[in-house]
Amino acid sequence: MDSVFVQQLRRSRHLVVLLLLLNMLTLALIAGGQYGAGVLVLQLVLLAGTGALLFMLQSRSMTAAVTHAQEPVLALDPNTGIATENWYRHMLALECRRAVREFAPLTVMRISFGERTKREHLLEVIRVLSEELSRPGDLIGWETGSDLGAVLPCTNEHAEQLTERCYRHIREHSSNPDLPVWLVAHTYQPRGDLNLSKVSQHLEHRMQQAREEAPGVFYLAEAATDPSTPSMTYSDG
């Protein structure tokens, strides 16, 4: 992502290009010995104007950066009451680190729907999930696109039954019996490579595979014992 200064520079690119061309022209005249007092004065004015423009753009970029940094992060979607996508991913990253630190398994769900799902049907699903996933620390939020996600810290061997119950209750309480729902869930062991990047890429891949099949529940769990277990150190992500 470009810096704020680069963005400001792009907005004023025509003026900047014009000043640079004029500077190059006057410098060429001076270098060729074809100059007088007027050319020198023009060069000084152009240099002063270029410097003033760059200073103004830098000041604006600093002000915009400070203003953006002070803006509050929107944690909840006002239309649904669940976590926004940015906040959901932020909390998922924190829970990955917490799982490794506290040596506790972490279950993450991703729920996808068919095309053009109505808002009332989404709200029904959210209500069911909110009732089922109500422990302190459980989080429901928007995932990539129109998918829903859920983070369940400190899960145990009953995570699969919970996943199946969530899917069953979603089907039972939906006013649209034909609503297609793919629920992908995975329980991760607290290994050193557990991080946001790993979980997001893994669930994205699993959801793509699930969407090639009929709607339903797709649950997997990492084995508690694995001879290839990474060391207990954080990796990037």
Side-chain angles (χ1 to χ4, degrees):
M1 181 179 293
D2 294 331
S3 65
V4 179
F5 178 71
V6 173
Q7 295 175 9
Q8 295 280 348
L9 197 60
R10 284 180 174 175
R11 295 191 184 100
S12 307
R13 60 184 179 276
H14 298 298
L15 181 57
V16 171
V17 170
L18 177 62
L19 288 174
L20 289 176
L21 290 176
L22 290 176
N23 273 289
M24 292 173 62
L25 178 61
T26 54
L27 287 174
L29 291 175
I30 293 174
Q34 302 176 2
Y35 65 91
V39 176
L40 289 176
V41 171
L42 177 61
Q43 179 62 55
L44 292 175
V45 171
L46 289 173
L47 289 174
T50 304
L53 176 62
L54 294 176
F55 177 79
M56 180 183 66
L57 293 177
Q58 180 68 20
S59 299
R60 285 184 178 180
S61 64
M62 292 177 64
T63 302
V66 171
T67 303
H68 178 73
Q70 292 178 345
E71 291 179 351
V73 178
L74 185 62
L76 296 180
D77 176 11
N79 296 318
T80 59
I82 63 175
T84 61
E85 182 176 342
N86 288 338
W87 187 253
Y88 175 80
R89 296 178 65 83
H90 170 72
M91 294 304 299
L92 177 55
L94 292 182
E95 290 300 339
C96 287
R97 288 177 167 82
R98 189 198 307 273
V100 176
R101 184 174 65 251
E102 299 180 358
F103 204 70
L106 175 69
T107 298
V108 184
M109 295 182 182
R110 181 164 176 174
I111 304 98
S112 184
F113 309 93
E115 301 295 333
R116 302 176 183 176
T117 303
K118 294 183 178 180
R119 182 174 181 272
E120 60 183 281
H121 300 147
L122 284 175
L123 292 177
E124 291 172 348
V125 174
I126 291 172
R127 183 170 62 252
V128 170
L129 292 176
S130 300
E131 294 173 353
E132 294 293 334
L133 312 177
S134 57
R135 301 176 309 159
D138 291 349
L139 178 69
I140 304 169
W142 287 109
E143 246 290 3
T144 305
S146 59
D147 289 2
L148 298 176
V151 182
L152 313 175
C154 303
T155 46
N156 54 24
E157 65 275 8
H158 300 298
E160 183 174 7
Q161 291 90 325
L162 173 63
T163 302
E164 293 175 348
R165 186 171 70 245
C166 286
Y167 182 81
R168 186 173 65 253
H169 287 180
I170 288 173
R171 304 302 309 167
E172 292 174 353
H173 293 84
S174 176
S175 59
N176 179 11
D178 298 324
L179 177 68
V181 179
W182 290 266
L183 197 162
V184 171
H186 197 98
T187 298
Y188 298 90
Q189 294 299 322
R191 303 191 175 107
D193 64 342
L194 180 60
N195 55 51
L196 173 63
S197 177
K198 171 187 174 179
V199 174
S200 298
Q201 293 178 12
H202 181 245
L203 289 181
E204 174 69 22
H205 178 67
R206 287 200 56 209
M207 181 56 75
Q208 290 177 356
Q209 292 180 322
R211 292 288 298 245
E212 296 177 355
E213 302 182 24
V217 181
F218 303 84
Y219 175 85
L220 284 177
E222 291 181 345
T225 56
D226 188 343
S228 61
T229 300
S231 61
M232 295 297 292
T233 56
Y234 294 122
S235 56
D236 294 336

